[in-house]
Amino acid sequence: MKLSDIYKNKKNGVLSFEIFPPKKDDELKDIEPTLDILSELKPDYISVTFGAGGSSNNNKTIDLARKIKEVYHIEPVAHLTGLAYTKEEIDEFVKELEDAGIENILALRGDINPNAPSKGVFNYASELIAYLKPRTDLCIAAACYPEDHPESPDHISEMHNLKKKVDAGAEVLLSQLFFDNRHFYSFLEDARIAGIDVPITPGIMPAIRAAQIQRMVSTCGAILPVEFKKIIDKYGDNNEAMYDAGMAYAMSQIIELLTNGVDGIHLYTMNKPSVARTICDGIKNIINV
Ligand code: FAD
C-alpha cells in the first residue's frame, strides 16, 4: 500500500520503524531476529536506509525492503539518495524496486561525502523528486528538519526548499530526530503556513548511550534541552541507568506528540528490537485513540 493511502486511512497514530541493512560483509539473514520482533509489533510500515556512499551495499536496501514485504507482509519504504548517482543509476534502482513490488520511496539528497563525490545531476532532493515523479508510480516521501537542516542559511530558505520537495511530488514528510517537542510544533505550524499540507511525521530516536547522543547531536545538529542534559549528566556513565532514562524520555516525547494529534510516529530503531518493543508496549493503548 502507498504511504499516502496509509496516512489517509489511518487519520492518527501511523506507527513506522526505520532500520538499516546489515553491514557490507554481513548476510541479510543476520537481521531476521530483529525483523521477527519488529513485525510482531505490527508497524504500519518499515523504512530501510540507503548508504549515500555509492556502494554496492545499497542492493541490500532493496533486498531487505523486498523481504519485509514478502516474508513479513509489512509495507516497506526504500530510502534513496541522489547526490552520488547518475540518472541511469537512479533509473536502475527504481526499476528494481518496481520489479520487487515495492510501492514507496524516501527520496533524499544524501550527505555531502568526499568518498562518494556528487555526480552533479541531483544536487537537491527536490531535483530527484521532480525527476522521479513523471517516471514512476512509487509514492514519494521526503525528509524534513524541525530544527532546520545543518546547512540551511536560515529558516525561511529551509521552508521554501521543503515546499519545493512537496510541489515536486513528495506526498509524506518524515522528520529528523529531535529532543524538544516545541521545535517540532513550531516547525509544523510554519510548514502549514507555508502551504505544506501533506502528513508530517515526527522522527524519534530513543537516546540510550551518552556517546551515541553526542554523535547524533554533532551530525544532525539537534539541540539538547536542559532536562535531557541533566539526564545525561546524571546517568551518562551508567549504561543501564542511561537506557532506562533515555527510553522514558523518548516515551514521554511520543505520548506528548500523540496527545497533540501528530500524523504518526517514525521510530529510529537503530536495529534494536528491545527499543521498539519497549516503546510499543508503552503506547499500545494510546496509539490508536
Ligand atoms: P535536501 O532537501 O536537498 O536539503 C539539503 C540542504 O539543501 C538543506 O539545507 C536545504 O535547505 C538546501 N536546499 C534544498 N534545495 C535547495 C535549493 N534549490 N537551493 C539551495 N539550497 C537548497 N541519508 C542517507 O545517506 N541515507 C539514508 O537512508 C537517509 N535517511 C534519512 C531519513 C530521514 C527521515 C532523514 C531526516 C534524513 C535521512 N538521511 C539519510 C540524511 C540526509 O541524506 C541528509 O540530511 C542530507 O544532508 C540532506 O538530505 P535531504 O534529502 O533532506 O536534502
Side-chain angles (χ1 to χ4, degrees), residues 18 49-52 79 81 106-111 123-126 143-145 149 151-152 157-158 161 164-165 174-176 266 268:
E18 181 166 312
T49 65
F50 186 86
H79 296 201
T81 62
L106 175 63
L108 300 147
R109 182 196 70 178
D111 281 324
N123 296 308
Y124 298 108
S126 56
C144 63
Y145 301 84
H149 186 273
E151 290 163 37
S152 200
S157 322
E158 182 73 8
N161 293 330
K164 278 188 202 156
K165 296 201 264 196
L174 300 184
S175 102
Q176 181 60 282
H266 187 62
Y268 292 96

Side-chain angles (χ1 to χ4, degrees), residues 86-102:
T86 60
K87 286 182 181 169
E88 293 69 28
E89 287 167 322
I90 294 292
D91 290 344
E92 204 179 305
F93 187 81
V94 167
K95 182 165 185 320
E96 279 185 55
L97 285 178
E98 289 170 342
D99 290 348
I102 289 157

Side-chain angles (χ1 to χ4, degrees), residues 150-189:
E151 290 163 37
S152 200
D154 56 69
H155 185 56
I156 293 179
S157 322
E158 182 73 8
M159 280 297 151
H160 281 305
N161 293 330
L162 184 60
K163 178 83 164 49
K164 278 188 202 156
K165 296 201 264 196
V166 175
D167 290 345
E171 294 180 71
V172 170
L173 296 173
L174 300 184
S175 102
Q176 181 60 282
L177 60 93
F178 55 91
F179 297 102
D180 186 337
N181 289 355
R182 287 169 299 185
H183 293 302
F184 183 79
Y185 299 135
S186 142
F187 159 80
L188 188 62
E189 190 177 10

